[in-house]
Amino acid sequence: MPKTNRPKLLALLAVMGPGLIAAAAGNDAGGVATYATAGATYGYDLLWLLLISCLTLALVQETCARMGATTGKGLSDLIREQFGVRWTILAMCALLGANLAVTTSEFAGVATAAEVFGVSRYIAVPLAAVFVWWVVVRGSYRSVEKVLIGLALLLVSYVIAAVIVPQDGAAIARGILVPTVHAEGEYILLAVGMVGTTIAPWMLFYLQSSVVDKGIRVSEFGETRIDVLSGVVVAGFVAFCIITVTAATLHQQGIAVTSAADAAQALEPVAGAFARTMFAAGLLGASLLSSSILPLATAYAICEAFGWEASVSHSFREAPAFFSIFTGVIVIACTLVLIPGIPLLRLMLFGESLNGVLLPILLVFIFLLASDRRLMGRYANGRIHKGVSWGVTAGLAGLSGALLVSTVGGLFL
Amino acid sequence: MVFISHILNLPVVDNKGQRVGFLTDLLIGPGDAYPRITAAVVTPSRPRFGAPSGLFYVPAGQVATLDRPEVRLRVAAEDLGTYEPKEHELRVARDLLDKQIVDTQGRRIVKVNDVKLGDIAGEWRLMGVDIGLRAFLRRLGAEQTADILGRLLPIHLDERLVTWNYIEPLAGELDNVRLTVSHTQLAELHPADIADIVEQMAPAEGTAVLTGLDARVAAETLAEIEPELQARFLSQIESDRASDLLEMLPPDEAADLLSDLPEPQAERLLSLMAQEQAADVRKLLTYEENTAGGRMTTDILVLDRRMTVEETIATLREAEFGKTDIYYLYVVDEERRLLGVVSLRALVTARPGTLVGDIMDTSVVSVQLDTDQEEVARVIRKYDLLAVPVVDIQGVVQGVVTVDDVLDVMQEEAAEDIGQLAGSSPEGVGLPVTPLRDAIRRVGWLGAALAGGVAAGGVVQAFAGPLHAPMAVFYFVPLILNLVNALGAQSFALAGARGGDEVRRVVRHEGAVGGFLGLLAGLVVALGTYSWLGDGVFAAALGVGLGLALVMAAVLGGAAPVLIQRTRLDPAVASGPVVDAVVSLVALLLCFGLISTVRVA
């Protein structure tokens, strides 16, 4: 970018709150893969679920931000203090599993993008792992943040692609407003994956911690609410663009997506070589951004729950658990991606689906905490709020259940 | 002493043993150094997920026992008193457990993993909060695992208790627990207590605390810190300050600290120390760490045999005390060779003009510079000493090893011995366990038996060709026999160790264990056989037969001790032949009977 633009850009970034950052980082490689597959396979048919997911995201993010502002504590802290050691371990296992799955899909995204550019994944993925580790551990936190935000801007390329491709407005409106359900395993997998990538568990922990770190009071909560909502709108809009782009091109032409590279290449006849490069660049940027935040957020959340020393500014000896978790998540995710012959796109999709399956477990904790009058005082969830929250949790649990049944059923049939 | 994690959710029974509810929490009235428990919070129904309902308070005076297996009351359920919780009172589990401990500057330090209670003069009081990993494992019901881990790995798994006087719950109900001692107030605590707190801090903070303390207190605190952490803190402190602290310490402790540092760093610190002290420490550093030379202190007082009692006492008055305690006064000749020992008592009761050489006890025990520390510990224990002098080959006194220098050696040795014992003893025999757990515990040994069976089968198979017999018979005979005999023997041994059990109970338990293991082994063998021979009918029949045989083996083996006891035979002698013979015969009949039946059909 030209040097003269930098101050303006930085000023803009300074306004970005934790809600915006969390939501933007939520549209990661797994998200791209899930949305692209959804658009290519079912056209506009899953747009209604995207709308519901975004509304749910707004509901949950607002709840977490409110909890952070009211109690001044992170989500892990609250779970530990209110539910004790055993339940905390359950919650942390769910979080660790979900985050490992998502981090794996991030590295799968790196591998995919690299292969579009003609670089072997056996070179690109380890390099990316080392880069991410180094940026977080060795760089100062300020510069880390700048690197991350700079990478996040590559997401704009999705929106540009959506503008270039001609769209059918009526079909889109129908897709959003009329739920179209296909009773197929693939549809359920994509649906759960879509929920999982839109409302990733790590985002909730990350947002609440950020609200606490910034010392936001519940009295000045209005701004935070706007920040959270604008984050959801941005994330939802980017997801919407990806789905409509792939629906208008790949689905129209009946091209099945078997890899994310397919999706990128399939855009070529429509939008020229430009679309392909944008797709890969966006994928790479989003993957690197999220794979920097995810292992870090995981380590912070788990250490917070167990009262262990946690900070990037400490040395390994000072915070061994923190660095072990951080490094372990990167190493395991990176290793999974490097298993020879593993289908990258499916890996990303499964990662997001696992996220979706584990999400209801964490939602139960979150909504129980948010309804606790002793904890939240007058900011606790009211009756209507509670009803909606539990309804949503039950719906998501049902969806996860359907996925499990169809997967297990698929194994035996 | 009892931990809150041990007693929460225990049933509460009245003096007639009738259950009135379950313990949900305890109320404490803060303010005391060790806050008194004022009431027990009880819920009438079994606690489940979510907030317990229908809580009532039982005054502490009506609680008779507060420990596993159940909380007993002094009174009958009808006579239960009521207790009105006061405004300032805290609930231990709700307000303390799992809370964050912060220091006075509001920095996060640790989590409250458990709360320790003690019975002091008939009143239950809160002793402190446990912040260690061990307490965390205890909450998970895995304290035994903690014991095993602690023996195997160099992980610190002791209790880490912060006493109540140092902590204060913050005003709001939801707030954290604050350490009341600020960094400056820390100095007033005993160095051992400061060390406990500093160990919990991040190195940067801990170092800041050590730097802020008075040099002598800082030095003593440093010496009290866990050996593994000492070097870490020492290397963080500025060199000038570090060398000052080292000078304050007795040479042996300074040497211990330096020996854990990388050599260039140790050398730099030594060069900054006063020359005389540095020389002492350097000399100590040359001795092996685990010998008398490595453990001794050189900072001692020796008496010339020609000194009078009066002169000696005068010397003692002038000598700079504080570095090490004086337990014994050693008497030497002109070349500093050890001659004898004089006790302070002998010195005080003797007439002033007497020579120390005349009142000394010449039967003095000493150790050599290179004597192993275990041997030194043994000598100290054997002769009931507080200290033992260390001499070189010429008999010249070099230093003293005191009982506290080897106290930890004694403990290490003891722990090692206990560890060995526990490792070789059949752990947990006779404990009442569920069949599933029992099955899991024993499955490994059966796996070994299976491996043995497969190997033996291979040997028999080698003969199958030359003998022109059906290969399967030869291969599977040893496999079946090994498995059923192994399980029968296990059941026999464990049932025998439990002893006194009724036949019916044993049969039910062993039947369940055999069921689990039979299902598992049957499946494994059937799958293995199928993938090898490709004959589904044969594999299924073998699997079912083996499964049934294992159930039978477990039941027979388990019932055998009681049955043999009834026949007045010696169980140890009778077990092998009787049980094995019966089990083998029935197992082979079952398996091959089944196989031949399905073959014919």
Side-chain angles (χ1 to χ4, degrees):
Chain A
M1 87 191 66
K3 268 209 164 121
T4 46
N5 283 346
R6 281 187 79 180
K8 262 188 206 166
L9 197 62
L10 287 179
L12 179 77
L13 293 176
V15 185
M16 276 178 78
L20 213 51
I21 293 180
N27 272 330
D28 48 15
V32 175
T34 312
Y35 298 135
T37 314
T41 316
Y42 293 106
Y44 301 125
D45 287 358
L46 273 160
L47 280 179
W48 65 276
L49 188 64
L50 179 67
L51 180 68
I52 294 180
S53 298
C54 287
L55 292 176
T56 310
L57 176 65
L59 173 80
V60 185
Q61 291 277 69
E62 194 273 343
T63 306
C64 286
R66 185 157 36 93
M67 278 202 284
T70 314
T71 62
K73 291 180 181 194
L75 196 47
S76 301
D77 246 347
L78 287 180
I79 291 176
R80 168 74 189 270
E81 291 186 359
Q82 300 300 313
F83 300 108
V85 167
R86 285 168 195 245
W87 289 109
T88 306
I89 286 185
L90 172 74
M92 288 304 122
C93 283
L95 180 71
L96 184 64
N99 288 3
L100 251 178
V102 183
T103 312
T104 307
S105 78
E106 306 308 344
F107 282 112
V110 171
T112 307
E115 277 170 11
V116 169
F117 288 125
V119 179
S120 162
R121 72 167 98 160
Y122 294 95
I123 296 167
V125 172
L127 265 180
V130 171
F131 168 76
V132 163
W133 193 88
W134 187 81
V135 155
V136 175
V137 174
R138 295 287 161 233
S140 77
Y141 196 68
R142 293 305 307 168
S143 65
V144 171
E145 224 168 30
K146 277 180 212 144
V147 172
L148 300 186
I149 294 171
L151 289 171
L153 287 179
L154 289 172
L155 291 169
V156 178
S157 50
Y158 302 131
V159 183
I160 299 171
V163 174
I164 293 171
V165 176
Q167 303 279 2
D168 174 1
I172 292 177
R174 203 169 42 245
I176 294 175
L177 298 174
V178 185
T180 316
V181 179
H182 300 254
E184 301 167 8
E186 182 72 7
Y187 184 85
I188 302 174
L189 180 76
L190 278 170
V192 175
M194 197 140 116
V195 173
T197 190
T198 314
I199 319 166
W202 71 266
M203 287 160 59
L204 313 175
F205 285 81
Y206 179 83
L207 176 69
Q208 188 166 339
S209 297
S210 304
V211 168
V212 173
D213 282 349
K214 296 208 166 183
I216 293 168
R217 296 288 181 83
V218 76
S219 51
E220 52 197 47
F221 190 60
E223 281 170 42
T224 307
R225 201 169 266 161
I226 292 170
D227 169 51
V228 167
L229 289 181
S230 49
V232 172
V233 169
V234 169
F237 180 66
V238 174
F240 171 81
C241 289
I242 298 171
I243 294 181
T244 49
V245 164
T246 48
T249 55
L250 299 171
H251 186 64
Q252 286 281 305
Q253 298 158 19
I255 299 172
V257 178
T258 50
S259 76
D262 273 358
Q265 279 156 352
L267 284 174
E268 255 179 297
V270 188
F274 190 46
R276 183 173 181 257
T277 314
M278 273 193 316
F279 199 93
L283 197 62
L284 184 69
S287 302
L288 283 178
L289 169 64
S290 299
S291 57
S292 307
I293 296 185
L294 260 160
L296 194 62
T298 312
Y300 268 121
I302 293 178
C303 288
E304 183 180 283
F306 298 127
W308 296 328
E309 202 64 49
S311 170
V312 267
S313 55
H314 283 1
S315 73
F316 183 85
R317 291 191 62 154
E318 286 165 11
F322 176 78
F323 282 100
S324 302
I325 297 169
F326 173 73
T327 312
V329 168
I330 293 179
V331 169
I332 293 173
C334 172
T335 312
L336 284 175
V337 174
L338 293 183
I339 294 174
I342 201 154
L344 293 173
L345 188 81
R346 296 311 278 183
L347 192 63
M348 289 189 239
L349 238 156
F350 281 130
E352 298 303 336
S353 305
L354 186 61
N355 232 354
V357 170
L358 293 172
L359 178 68
I361 299 177
L362 293 164
L363 286 186
V364 170
F365 283 105
I366 290 171
F367 290 138
L368 277 176
L369 287 169
S371 314
D372 190 335
R373 291 236 160 253
R374 218 179 73 78
L375 192 68
M376 297 289 291
R378 64 197 186 90
Y379 297 104
N381 280 353
R383 202 172 298 155
I384 298 169
H385 210 144
K386 257 194 244 180
V388 174
S389 302
W390 289 120
V392 165
T393 309
L396 294 186
L399 198 57
S400 301
L403 177 63
L404 288 182
V405 168
S406 82
T407 312
V408 173
L411 283 181
F412 286 99
L413 297 178
Chain B
M1 295 288 172
V2 62
F3 288 99
I4 189 84
S5 60
H6 285 147
I7 57 170
L8 276 186
N9 297 335
L10 283 184
V12 179
V13 299
D14 70 359
N15 61 352
K16 290 186 252 121
Q18 198 200 329
R19 197 170 77 196
V20 300
F22 296 87
L23 188 72
T24 302
D25 216 330
L26 294 170
L27 277 184
I28 53 165
D32 291 324
Y34 296 105
R36 212 161 51 84
I37 287 160
T38 53
V41 187
V42 181
T43 173
S45 50
R46 190 172 283 280
R48 302 209 185 279
F49 193 80
S53 54
L55 296 179
F56 59 95
Y57 300 89
V58 179
Q62 296 193 334
V63 178
T65 64
L66 203 55
D67 203 352
R68 289 163 296 181
E70 56 194 8
V71 176
R72 287 191 160 277
L73 302 179
R74 285 185 213 286
V75 295
E78 313 82 79
D79 303 330
L80 269 182
T82 51
Y83 184 87
E84 202 51 47
K86 309 206 173 34
E87 180 94 6
H88 60 279
E89 283 183 328
L90 290 173
R91 274 169 58 170
V92 174
R94 191 190 66 189
D95 300 328
L96 291 179
L97 211 54
D98 293 317
K99 289 288 186 278
Q100 185 78 41
I101 297 187
V102 296
D103 71 1
T104 42
Q105 272 89 48
R107 281 178 295 209
R108 305 163 57 93
I109 303 186
V110 278
K111 285 260 182 205
V112 175
N113 283 337
D114 211 342
V115 175
K116 194 174 189 178
L117 311 164
D119 186 356
I120 299 175
E123 274 188 329
W124 282 98
R125 285 172 183 274
L126 193 152
M127 307 304 293
V129 300
D130 195 336
I131 52 181
L133 183 61
R134 186 192 185 88
F136 184 81
L137 290 171
R138 189 189 306 124
R139 290 280 295 285
L140 293 173
E143 199 168 14
Q144 285 179 337
T145 316
D147 282 334
I148 296 166
L149 273 179
R151 283 199 293 264
L152 294 178
L153 303 168
I155 297 178
H156 194 85
L157 281 176
D158 282 344
E159 261 170 42
R160 286 213 164 287
L161 211 62
V162 177
T163 30
W164 182 257
N165 0 351
Y166 301 153
I167 44 190
E168 108 188 302
L170 291 179
E173 280 178 323
L174 296 162
D175 275 303
N176 297 319
V177 182
R178 188 190 286 273
L179 264 178
T180 50
V181 273
S182 66
H183 289 177
T184 46
Q185 285 172 308
L186 272 176
E188 288 155 30
L189 305 177
H190 189 276
D193 287 335
I194 307 177
D196 279 345
I197 295 170
V198 168
E199 281 165 20
Q200 297 304 321
M201 296 178 169
E205 283 173 47
T207 310
V209 170
L210 282 177
T211 315
L213 291 170
D214 164 70
R216 176 164 297 279
V217 180
E220 280 166 20
T221 302
L222 196 58
E224 294 281 355
I225 288 175
E226 289 295 310
E228 313 90 75
L229 301 176
Q230 276 174 341
R232 193 164 100 184
F233 281 112
L234 191 62
S235 58
Q236 294 243 333
I237 301 174
E238 240 176 281
S239 299
D240 282 343
R241 169 84 174 168
S243 64
D244 288 349
L245 297 188
L246 288 172
E247 281 175 26
M248 299 274 177
L249 288 173
D252 59 328
E253 286 179 9
D256 281 351
L257 276 173
L258 284 172
S259 64
D260 288 333
L261 286 185
E263 203 162 322
Q265 206 180 348
E267 194 46 54
R268 199 177 67 241
L269 289 180
L270 273 169
S271 66
L272 287 168
M273 284 172 69
Q275 229 158 31
E276 195 186 330
Q277 270 122 335
D280 282 350
V281 175
R282 258 182 232 278
K283 197 165 155 195
L284 283 173
L285 278 173
T286 59
Y287 301 125
E288 283 288 328
E289 204 185 335
N290 296 333
T291 62
R295 288 270 171 178
M296 72 183 180
T297 180
T298 53
D299 190 20
I300 56 163
L301 190 75
V302 290
L303 308 174
D304 192 296
R305 63 172 165 177
R306 292 161 303 181
M307 282 165 79
T308 64
V309 167
E310 199 177 1
E311 285 166 347
T312 306
I313 291 175
T315 319
L316 283 176
R317 281 209 185 95
E318 283 160 29
E320 189 192 329
F321 288 140
K323 288 190 179 177
T324 39
D325 296 319
I326 294 177
Y327 299 110
Y328 307 108
L329 296 162
Y330 298 106
V331 184
V332 294
D333 65 8
E334 297 77 17
E335 265 105 60
R336 250 178 99 95
R337 280 193 295 248
L338 184 66
L339 294 175
V341 60
V342 176
S343 72
L344 280 174
R345 182 191 150 82
L347 207 61
V348 181
T349 52
R351 255 171 299 179
T354 324
L355 294 178
V356 289
D358 294 338
I359 58 166
M360 71 180 180
D361 183 353
T362 52
S363 63
V364 55
V365 186
S366 64
V367 293
Q368 295 286 321
L369 277 171
D370 58 356
T371 305
D372 188 85
Q373 59 175 359
E374 287 170 32
E375 177 63 15
V376 177
R378 203 186 59 76
V379 166
I380 286 181
R381 202 160 23 181
K382 182 178 175 193
Y383 296 101
D384 254 342
L385 298 172
L386 292 172
V388 63
V390 183
V391 296
D392 63 12
I393 298 165
Q394 282 84 39
V396 174
V397 177
Q398 298 290 336
V400 165
V401 178
T402 64
V403 68
D404 27 314
D405 291 332
V406 287
L407 203 59
D408 40 339
V409 178
M410 293 177 178
Q411 275 172 357
E412 279 161 28
E413 301 290 315
E416 255 171 51
D417 293 346
I418 293 164
Q420 276 161 5
L421 261 183
S424 60
S425 72
E427 211 164 319
V429 164
L431 284 175
V433 285
T434 64
L436 182 62
R437 283 207 174 185
D438 207 356
I440 292 168
R441 186 171 69 175
R442 286 153 67 175
V443 73
W445 293 106
L446 284 191
L450 180 60
V454 171
V459 173
V460 178
Q461 187 198 14
F463 289 97
L467 285 175
H468 298 291
M471 192 277 304
V473 175
F474 279 98
Y475 187 86
F476 290 105
V477 167
L479 187 147
I480 294 165
L481 289 186
N482 273 10
L483 264 179
V484 293
N485 284 337
L487 184 62
Q490 276 186 340
S491 300
F492 183 90
L494 287 167
R498 271 190 212 106
D501 277 350
E502 289 173 54
V503 177
R504 215 185 308 154
R505 257 189 62 201
V506 173
V507 166
R508 221 182 304 139
H509 178 86
E510 291 297 332
V513 174
F516 283 124
L517 294 172
L519 194 64
L520 184 66
L523 264 176
V524 169
V525 169
L527 282 177
T529 309
Y530 178 69
S531 62
W532 176 34
L533 298 176
D535 185 347
V537 179
F538 177 84
L542 181 67
V544 172
L546 185 64
L548 289 176
L550 283 171
V551 175
M552 178 274 307
V555 170
L556 274 182
V562 188
L563 297 177
I564 287 172
Q565 217 173 12
R566 290 192 184 162
T567 58
R568 317 251 153 134
L569 294 168
D570 181 357
V573 178
S575 69
V578 175
V579 177
D580 279 3
V582 177
V583 164
S584 305
L585 197 67
V586 181
L588 285 180
L589 281 174
L590 262 173
C591 289
F592 288 105
L594 254 174
I595 293 168
S596 56
T597 312
V598 294
R599 269 284 155 85
V600 171

